[in-house]
């Protein structure tokens, strides 16, 4: 079978790897210069392509991400996978509070030794929450109980009829919602925070761990290995290959699928599209029924936000946390992530690397702003977080943008998802939006890729 795959993110690469191994003649098209999609990286040091890479958008994995851990092992990268509990914090009322662990911050050596086995456990997080002073004590208690319930509840369907905003206010109370959950939801979904389906929040509590994993030297290595593995299994990966149309074969090509790429037509027995649904409906607009396009790409279909990230290289440590959710008003970014408080600066020739991230509607003016203007706007706000910060610390900067980075998981989300089988025979659609109720992530794209490979 000649199988065309559109998209060289982790999903397309997984489908390619599994099907090539079964003997299909796989050809994968990726419009970017490198494989990796939203998890793509860039050379971050003066050594350029010979030095370490960093993801354009912050990435880590969780202990519960079993599929990606398995694939990392399969590709021989186990030795690079490191698990740590870097501090996750929240900025509220001008103060930084650690939210993920109480015991990691213990100072007394005796107590530290005693509590070490608990670091990163659910008990540890629950106690960190109980220690979260901006909440009245009763609210902390309710918050802790809600957290425990979500951790142990296995059936998210029980929560599928309500929004996270309503459910949390009912069970954890208004204070916990305003000071903890609303900021968490707003970080991802901006002013749509009150429309998010509860199952999405359930999965954040139920499936995530405090232990975060990262490949020393960057996830770039995973994508290079996947790329090589597809080729070793007999597949082809065409980079810088923008697919511009998909159509049904006619005449003696009846039943086949014709893909236009780089101005040329390629004929396939089957095609898997891993690009966003709205891109698919554009590519195949002449073949799809108007009702399909209206339902899955019209004004009432699933909406996506874009991602915007400023990365700066500074010559010293900025603060003590890895991840900071910015909950105070007046900041032009939603999160500050000091990557080198997770992996050491020595991995990056001594640079300290900081992300300032945003998810925004794809037509937001920030996406059109020149990089220098973005930087001039963002940097003064870092001084509010660390008054010692001086712009002279910044030695290099990059601004990265991506569309279709975060599906907006509203209450009716599941009913808006297109089936994998499309109205075009032999064309399958599977993309990041199909990851539900979990928050999208590399692990779930691998899981979906393996499911699609099996379906084929
Ligand atoms: C800010 C941010 C932070 C994130 N943090 C994490 C994290 O910490 N941990 C984690 O696991 N995940 C994280 N993710 C999510 C993770 O990056 C995605 O879940 C994963 O990369 C999705 O892979 P995919 O292959 O499904 O889709 P994509 O990566 O979107 O791949 C789709 C590919 O299709 C290509 N394509 C589209 N149209 C065409 C065309 N016409 N022709 C050819 N090619 C085309 C695109 O160029 C792209 O490479 C994050 C994402 C963002 C944006």
């Amino acid at each position: 079978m000649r199988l065309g795959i559109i998209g060289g993110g982790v999903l397309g690469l997984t489908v390619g790897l599994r099907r090539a191994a079964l003997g299909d003649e796989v050809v994968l098209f990726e419009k970017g210069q490198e494989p990796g999609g939203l998890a793509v990286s860039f050379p971050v040091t003066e050594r350029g392509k010979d030095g370490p890479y960093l993801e354009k958008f912050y990435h880590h994995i969780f202990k519960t991400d079993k599929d990606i851990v398995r694939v990392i092992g399969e590709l021989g990268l186990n030795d690079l996978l490191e698990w740590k509990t870097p501090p996750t914090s929240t900025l509220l009322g001008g103060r930084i509070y650690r939210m993920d662990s109480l015991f990691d911050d213990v100072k007394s050596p005796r107590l530290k030794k005693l509590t070490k086995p608990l670091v990163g456990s659910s008990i540890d997080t629950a106690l960190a929450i109980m220690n979260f002073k901006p909440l009245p004590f009763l609210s902390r208690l309710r918050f802790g109980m809600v957290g425990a319930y979500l951790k142990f509840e296995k059936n998210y369907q029980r929560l599928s009829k309500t929004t996270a905003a309503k459910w949390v206010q009912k069970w954890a109370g208004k204070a916990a919602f305003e000071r903890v959950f609303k900021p968490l939801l707003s970080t991802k979904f901006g002013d749509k925070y009150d429309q998010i389906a509860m199952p999405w929040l359930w999965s954040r509590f139920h499936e995530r761990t405090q232990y975060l994993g990262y490949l020393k030297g960057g996830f770039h290595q995973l994508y290079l290995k996947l790329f090589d593995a597809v080729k070793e299994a007999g597949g082809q990966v065409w980079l810088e290959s923008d697919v511009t149309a998909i159509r049904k074969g006619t005449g003696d090509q009846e039943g086949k699928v014709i893909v236009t790429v780089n101005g040329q037509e390629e004929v396939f027995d089957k095609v898997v599209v891993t690009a966003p649904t709205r891109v698919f409906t554009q590519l195949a607009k002449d073949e799809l029924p108007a009702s399909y396009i209206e339902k899955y790409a019209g004004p009432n279909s699933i909406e996506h936000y874009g991602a915007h990230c400023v990365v700066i290289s500074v010559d010293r440590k900025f603060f003590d946390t890895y991840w900071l959710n910015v909950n105070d008003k007046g900041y032009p970014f939603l999160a500050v992530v000091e990557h080198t408080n997770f992996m050491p600066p020595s991995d990056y020739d001594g640079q300290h690397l900081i992300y300032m991230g945003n998810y925004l509607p794809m037509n937001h003016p920030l996406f059109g702003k020149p990089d220098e203007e973005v930087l001039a706007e963002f940097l003064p706000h870092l001084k509010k977080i660390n008054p010692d910060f001086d712009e002279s610390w910044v030695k290099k900067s990059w601004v990265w943008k991506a569309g279709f980075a975060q599906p907006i998981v509203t209450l009716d989300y599941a009913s808006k998802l297109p089936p994998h089988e499309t109205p075009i025979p032999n064309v399958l659609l599977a993309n990041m939006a199909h990851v539900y109720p979990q928050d999208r992530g590399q692990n779930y794209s691998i899981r979906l890729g393996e499911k699609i490979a099996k379906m084929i």
Side-chain angles (χ1 to χ4, degrees):
M1 177 168 68
R2 191 158 200 256
L3 174 68
I5 300 170
I6 301 173
V10 69
L11 173 50
L13 288 164
T14 305
V15 178
L17 177 62
R18 298 298 179 228
R19 291 306 310 180
L22 289 171
D24 288 354
E25 197 187 314
V26 167
V27 186
L28 185 150
F29 305 114
E30 167 52 49
K31 69 176 179 182
Q33 293 176 342
E34 310 243 9
L38 287 171
V40 79
S41 302
F42 64 102
V44 68
T45 67
E46 297 300 332
R47 287 186 281 150
K49 289 191 172 179
D50 297 328
Y53 279 61
L54 179 76
E55 295 71 35
K56 290 183 176 176
F57 305 99
Y58 35 74
H59 274 72
H60 51 239
I61 56 172
F62 300 91
K63 271 254 156 109
T64 37
D65 286 350
K66 302 266 191 252
D67 300 275
I68 191 169
V69 170
R70 171 173 46 79
V71 170
I72 285 171
E74 188 183 322
L75 297 171
L77 295 172
N78 254 351
D79 289 350
L80 299 177
L81 183 56
E82 294 193 4
W83 294 103
K84 302 183 183 187
T85 52
T88 303
S89 309
T90 194
L91 178 73
L92 197 64
R95 277 194 59 189
I96 294 179
Y97 298 91
R98 184 152 183 193
M99 294 294 283
D100 60 326
S101 173
L102 188 71
F103 295 136
D104 217 23
D105 273 350
V106 164
K107 297 282 176 289
S108 137
R110 223 174 127 235
L111 203 60
K112 203 164 184 74
K113 201 169 160 203
L114 220 79
T115 52
K116 200 167 174 233
L118 286 171
V119 170
S121 67
S122 306
I123 298 173
D124 191 15
T125 314
L127 289 173
I129 291 168
M130 295 308 290
N131 196 39
F132 184 53
K133 304 272 171 10
L135 281 186
F137 184 72
L138 203 64
S139 291
R140 284 184 244 166
L141 206 65
R142 285 177 76 184
F143 180 10
M145 277 157 60
V146 156
Y149 167 72
L150 294 174
K151 195 85 204 155
F152 294 109
E153 172 61 74
K154 288 199 173 71
N155 181 7
Y156 75 83
Q157 296 288 4
R158 278 180 218 242
L159 305 164
S160 64
K161 292 203 166 48
T162 179
T163 61
K166 276 198 186 132
W167 190 90
V168 167
Q169 290 190 70
K170 180 170 175 192
W171 295 104
K174 211 168 166 49
F177 177 71
E178 287 295 330
R179 281 169 223 170
V180 183
F181 290 89
K182 184 172 158 185
L184 174 81
L185 291 161
S186 307
T187 306
K188 279 268 166 140
F189 304 107
D191 54 13
K192 299 230 185 307
Y193 72 88
D194 55 349
Q195 296 171 36
I196 303 310
M198 185 55 203
W200 181 87
L201 190 69
W202 164 85
S203 92
R204 300 271 301 207
F205 278 77
H206 189 73
E207 307 210 358
R208 288 198 169 176
T209 55
Q210 298 311 332
Y211 270 94
L212 304 183
Y214 191 76
L215 283 187
K216 200 172 177 63
F219 284 106
H220 181 59
Q221 299 159 99
L222 172 67
Y223 290 96
L224 291 183
K225 282 274 184 190
L226 274 170
F227 178 82
D228 288 345
V230 174
K231 290 203 291 187
E232 274 160 29
Q236 299 175 33
V237 183
W238 297 17
L239 297 175
E240 295 182 74
S241 295
D242 193 0
V243 171
T244 48
I246 300 171
R247 66 176 177 85
K248 286 183 218 160
T250 49
D252 54 0
Q253 288 180 332
E254 188 75 43
K256 307 264 182 199
V257 186
I258 320 291
V259 167
T260 308
V261 56
N262 301 336
Q264 219 174 281
E265 290 202 326
E266 290 287 325
V267 184
F268 293 101
D269 298 304
K270 250 188 209 307
V271 166
V272 177
V273 182
T274 72
T277 307
R278 284 184 200 203
V279 173
F280 168 59
T281 54
Q282 269 300 313
L283 297 178
K285 59 179 180 305
D286 299 332
E287 302 282 354
L288 294 168
S291 56
Y292 181 93
I293 298 178
E294 176 65 19
K295 182 163 183 199
Y296 298 118
N300 293 323
S301 64
I302 290 171
E303 201 186 328
H304 288 72
Y305 276 173
H308 184 282
C309 251
V310 175
V311 183
I312 54 173
S313 160
V314 289
D315 60 5
R316 65 203 81 181
K317 196 177 171 72
F318 174 67
F319 58 11
D320 285 326
T321 199
Y322 161 57
W323 186 285
L324 183 74
N325 276 325
V326 177
N327 296 342
D328 283 345
K329 292 227 173 331
Y331 284 83
F333 40 77
L334 298 168
V336 180
V337 182
E338 188 161 347
H339 177 76
T340 38
N341 286 339
F342 183 14
M343 303 308 284
S346 53
D347 286 1
Y348 304 95
D349 295 353
Q351 298 178 95
H352 297 256
L353 298 164
I354 303 170
Y355 293 94
M356 285 164 272
N358 264 309
Y359 289 103
L360 293 163
M362 292 195 285
N363 59 2
H364 191 279
L366 191 60
F367 289 107
K369 243 188 199 177
D371 294 359
E372 320 77 69
E373 281 183 32
V374 173
L375 224 61
E377 185 189 344
F378 279 30
L379 291 182
H381 291 272
L382 289 181
K383 214 171 164 60
K384 294 196 280 179
I385 299 172
N386 174 1
D388 290 339
F389 173 76
D390 190 278
E391 291 186 21
S392 65
W393 295 8
V394 181
K395 300 302 169 198
K396 272 189 286 176
S397 63
W398 302 262
V399 179
W400 303 113
K401 305 160 198 178
F404 297 102
Q406 176 66 54
I408 311 294
V409 190
T410 48
L411 206 51
D412 47 0
Y413 186 84
S415 68
K416 290 181 173 180
L417 277 173
H420 295 309
E421 302 270 3
T422 71
I424 310 175
N426 292 317
V427 175
L428 295 173
L429 175 68
N431 56 37
M432 210 172 63
H434 286 104
V435 172
Y436 177 83
Q438 295 86 2
D439 192 19
R440 51 88 181 108
Q442 299 167 98
N443 182 67
Y444 299 103
S445 284
I446 289 179
R447 188 181 291 177
L448 178 59
E450 292 184 335
K451 177 178 141 186
I452 295 297
K454 277 201 185 113
M455 262 178 81
I456 294 171

